[in-house]
Amino acid sequence: MNGPRATGGARWSDTLAIVREFAKVDSSIAHVFGFHHLMLATVRLFSRPDQWQPWFEQTARKNWFWGNALNPLDTRTQVKDFKVEDALLRAAYRFSHYNQVHTANLLGLSRNVTRTRLIKIGELAVNKRRPGENVQGERMLHLSI
């Protein structure tokens, strides 16, 4: 996997040499392999180490594949009935073990924005009781967030 040398990552020259070897036999495999590494490089380029390192560790540990779900230059590509941002938020929330602060840090968002979006997509339930409602007798603790 292309990445930091400290974690055993390959150099770009090595990665591209492998792409060229794959291309000699099957150009589609070379394309997929190359885009996998391009996606990893993009994440690393546009985020802080504390954002990309957990994803890279999981990628290496679980043999995850990144990228090439579509060709971004293909003008026929359309997203229909699928909210990519919502799916990304759900995945990050689960990856962060349902921790709002860790999810926010991973995505580079504030906790408040993350919480609002999680509520909107149904990942968090909101307590809609009003002060003064008697739910459990006289023993009720009111918390504000």
Side-chain angles (χ1 to χ4, degrees):
M1 180 172 83
N2 190 308
R5 299 295 207 120
T7 60
R11 294 184 303 244
W12 267 109
S13 58
D14 296 334
T15 301
L16 295 176
I18 294 169
V19 170
R20 286 190 292 278
E21 287 299 312
F22 281 151
K24 290 177 184 176
V25 179
D26 187 334
S27 63
S28 61
I29 296 295
H31 177 88
V32 169
F33 184 81
F35 263 88
H36 165 77
H37 289 283
L38 179 61
M39 293 298 294
L40 290 168
T42 302
V43 168
R44 190 166 177 217
L45 180 64
F46 290 104
S47 61
R48 299 183 314 265
D50 63 304
Q51 293 174 312
W52 61 259
Q53 282 174 339
W55 292 101
F56 275 39
E57 290 167 9
Q58 290 285 347
T59 299
R61 189 176 307 116
K62 296 182 179 184
N63 293 316
W64 284 349
F65 172 74
W66 288 56
N68 210 40
L70 61 92
N71 177 354
L73 300 178
D74 186 345
T75 57
R76 299 168 298 169
T77 303
Q78 297 178 359
V79 177
K80 295 182 178 180
D81 300 323
F82 184 74
K83 300 197 181 222
V84 175
E85 290 178 3
D86 294 352
L88 176 63
L89 181 58
R90 279 190 178 95
Y93 189 49
R94 289 184 180 112
F95 179 80
S96 299
H97 305 286
Y98 302 95
N99 182 302
Q100 294 174 47
V101 173
H102 293 165
T103 303
N105 288 338
L106 185 64
L107 297 174
L109 302 171
S110 73
R111 183 221 168 244
N112 288 339
V113 167
T114 301
R115 182 177 189 282
T116 300
R117 294 293 311 273
L118 288 169
I119 290 168
K120 182 179 177 186
I121 66 173
E123 287 290 327
L124 285 179
V126 180
N127 183 352
K128 297 192 180 217
R129 289 181 280 189
R130 307 257 189 271
E133 289 181 7
N134 191 347
V135 177
Q136 298 176 358
E138 295 299 316
R139 298 178 62 178
M140 184 171 182
L141 178 62
H142 296 284
L143 300 173
S144 66
I145 299 174

